[in-house]
Amino acid sequence: MSKPFKTVIVAAAFAAIATSALSQVAWEFNPGMAYMYAGPGKMTAMAMAPGEKNHGAMMKHATRVPNNTIFFMDGGQLYSVSGTLDPTGNFYRP
């Protein structure tokens, strides 16, 4: 993933986490939309420019977010870690 696109994914994850403690509702990442986290309280969603050239530019530097990635805030910074949370919110590494 390119840094901007990875930031978009992280932003969407942060927004979902910020709105519910352990939601069973699936996140909705809509085709053609970009989600960007630019720091605490700075989340935006916007339609991406259409076209092969734009898509190719983003995919050139894209990396897949691994399964069981947890996003969380600490000291005003956004972090991610591989693992799982149990229903009470306790963290476990697989």
Side-chain angles (χ1 to χ4, degrees):
M1 254 181 252
S2 67
K3 281 198 178 225
F5 191 69
K6 189 173 184 178
T7 303
V8 166
I9 296 300
V10 170
F14 171 69
I17 290 168
T19 58
S20 66
L22 185 59
S23 175
Q24 297 298 316
V25 178
W27 298 346
E28 286 190 38
F29 290 94
N30 297 312
M33 291 295 295
Y35 308 88
M36 186 172 73
Y37 173 76
K42 298 178 184 171
M43 161 111 175
T44 58
M46 64 181 351
M48 292 186 296
E52 282 289 319
K53 186 175 179 181
N54 187 55
H55 182 262
M58 290 182 74
M59 292 303 293
K60 183 176 181 180
H61 302 286
T63 57
R64 187 182 149 287
V65 175
N67 293 340
N68 298 319
T69 299
I70 299 167
F71 300 96
F72 63 97
M73 295 292 293
D74 184 47
Q77 295 294 312
L78 182 63
Y79 292 89
S80 69
V81 65
S82 293
T84 59
L85 296 174
D86 70 14
T88 63
N90 290 304
F91 171 74
Y92 296 94
R93 289 206 42 108

